[in-house]
Amino acid sequence: MSPDHRRNSPGGPRVRPPRAPGKGKFAPRRAPGKRKPVTRRAPGKGKPAAARPGMPPAAGALPGAVRINRFLSMCGITSRRKAEELVLEGKVEVNHAVVRDLSTRVDPVRDRVFVGGTQAVPVQGHLYLVLNKPKDSISTLSDERGRTTVMSMVRTRERVYPVGRLDRNTTGVLLLTNDGGFAHRLMHPRFHVPKSYRVSCDRALPQADMERLRSGIQLEDGRTSPAEVQYIAQGRGKEIGITIHEGRNRQVRRMFESLGYEVLKLDRVAYGPVTKEGLARGGTRSLTRGEVRTLKEMAGYTEEELLSGR
């Protein structure tokens, strides 16, 4: 009986036909004598070489690298502008090597950055606070003379810092955050974020001086932008409300002093939409989502940035 006949007979054993050469599970992947072509990587392509330990990375060497000032603001250390000062002063180390080049870029995952000996680590979430600053406190993180700082009034585990400054004798609204980009934009003069103050003078202001304040005052660092100025009811002309759109050092005090007035009290009552209403002296609270969004809109954030939370 032929093998084909046995295979096709009912009840007979099934016999598989022989496989064709080069087919099947265990067949060689390529014919003998042929080799897989080698594709050579073009120069400069592929993964970048790892930075040597103890050396700051080269600019642009890592895809996820960011500029050093931006990285420090991401860590809540300070604003980008202040971060640049820290770099130039030689207070920043990348992988244990001091860097002074503002174009230095670091990888937030791979590189280790230190400021004053303390490692800087990017924060996972941002905090936005308002403090009703009392008199005789200074708007710094610490003071070598032992004076009271606003940080002694903030109860949070996260490191935050003031957005701008109020001088020692000025009271009222002071914003604090660990969002360096947010702080930088609020303080940048290009965005003209309004800040409102209540001023108590040693004598009444005539209407002529009110108009001078409204049109701008010539100071040693240039002429101020037009301000919104009004008398406060029952203030007998000595209580003035003023809103400015700049952030010069001691600007409101200098504006009134240039006109021959002594400022007895200066209280910031609002920073953009944020007020101190219902907040005791020395008290803090978190900003509402609406307040944060409005401040960001005033500071030039795009709709895409607002939606992404950047």
Side-chain angles (χ1 to χ4, degrees):
M1 185 178 292
S2 67
D4 290 341
H5 179 73
R6 289 196 304 267
R7 184 181 64 219
N8 296 325
S9 298
R14 296 184 63 83
V15 179
R16 296 179 181 273
R19 285 196 182 99
K23 299 284 181 88
K25 181 178 180 181
F26 299 102
R29 296 186 178 180
R30 52 184 175 271
K34 291 187 177 181
R35 301 182 63 182
K36 184 178 180 180
V38 177
T39 302
R40 297 188 180 277
R41 183 173 290 161
K45 300 287 185 178
K47 296 181 180 179
R52 287 180 293 168
M55 293 294 291
L62 299 170
V66 297
R67 287 175 66 94
I68 185 66
N69 63 337
R70 181 184 175 191
F71 176 81
L72 294 179
S73 73
M74 290 165 56
C75 297
I77 301 297
T78 185
S79 67
R80 294 190 190 185
R81 182 180 299 177
K82 181 62 178 179
E84 292 180 351
E85 296 178 8
L86 294 176
V87 172
L88 295 175
E89 292 169 1
K91 297 180 179 180
V92 180
E93 297 180 8
V94 179
N95 299 326
H96 300 292
V98 175
V99 295
R100 297 177 182 270
D101 186 353
L102 297 179
S103 65
T104 299
R105 301 175 73 87
V106 298
D107 185 332
V109 176
R110 300 174 58 178
D111 295 316
R112 301 180 67 190
V113 180
F114 297 84
V115 179
T118 302
Q119 185 171 358
V121 180
V123 296
Q124 299 301 315
H126 289 135
L127 291 180
Y128 306 96
L129 307 175
V130 55
L131 165 71
N132 187 356
K133 178 185 174 296
K135 191 177 178 181
D136 294 325
S137 60
I138 58 176
S139 304
T140 58
L141 300 179
S142 61
D143 182 64
E144 65 280 359
R145 296 166 57 183
R147 294 174 295 181
T148 302
T149 71
V150 295
M151 301 312 301
S152 64
M153 307 169 200
V154 179
R155 300 291 183 265
T156 176
R157 294 181 179 179
E158 300 291 341
R159 178 182 175 129
V160 295
Y161 54 88
V163 178
R165 293 188 178 186
L166 293 178
D167 62 49
R168 182 176 180 180
N169 293 323
T170 300
T171 59
V173 175
L174 180 66
L175 302 183
L176 302 104
T177 186
N178 57 2
D179 186 343
F182 174 76
H184 173 72
R185 291 208 195 186
L186 284 182
M187 293 185 290
H188 200 288
R190 177 162 63 99
F191 297 111
H192 308 290
V193 180
K195 294 168 280 290
S196 300
Y197 298 80
R198 179 169 182 154
V199 187
S200 298
C201 297
D202 60 335
R203 54 192 176 88
L205 272 72
Q207 189 65 38
D209 284 344
M210 291 283 286
E211 294 302 324
R212 293 178 66 184
L213 290 169
R214 287 170 179 159
S215 60
I217 299 295
Q218 184 65 41
L219 301 177
E220 60 270 21
D221 54 352
R223 191 173 189 84
T224 64
S225 298
E228 302 169 31
V229 189
Q230 61 185 12
Y231 291 110
I232 293 178
Q234 300 179 348
R236 299 181 180 181
K238 299 181 180 181
E239 300 284 332
I240 306 297
I242 181 171
T243 298
I244 62 173
H245 302 269
E246 301 168 283
R248 304 189 198 182
N249 183 41
R250 300 182 69 253
Q251 179 176 335
V252 174
R253 287 185 183 275
R254 291 191 294 141
M255 290 174 68
F256 280 86
E257 290 169 357
S258 69
L259 297 178
Y261 298 91
E262 180 184 357
V263 176
L264 303 178
K265 293 181 181 180
L266 182 59
D267 185 50
R268 184 193 280 171
V269 296
Y271 196 126
V274 182
T275 71
K276 59 188 179 64
E277 184 177 357
L279 198 58
R281 289 289 188 204
T284 61
R285 68 169 177 85
S286 296
L287 300 188
T288 66
R289 290 185 178 181
E291 288 172 332
V292 173
R293 181 180 178 88
T294 300
L295 283 170
K296 287 186 174 182
E297 290 174 344
M298 289 179 170
Y301 279 68
T302 65
E303 188 64 25
E304 180 183 357
E305 289 173 318
L306 292 171
L307 292 174
S308 65
R310 289 180 290 171

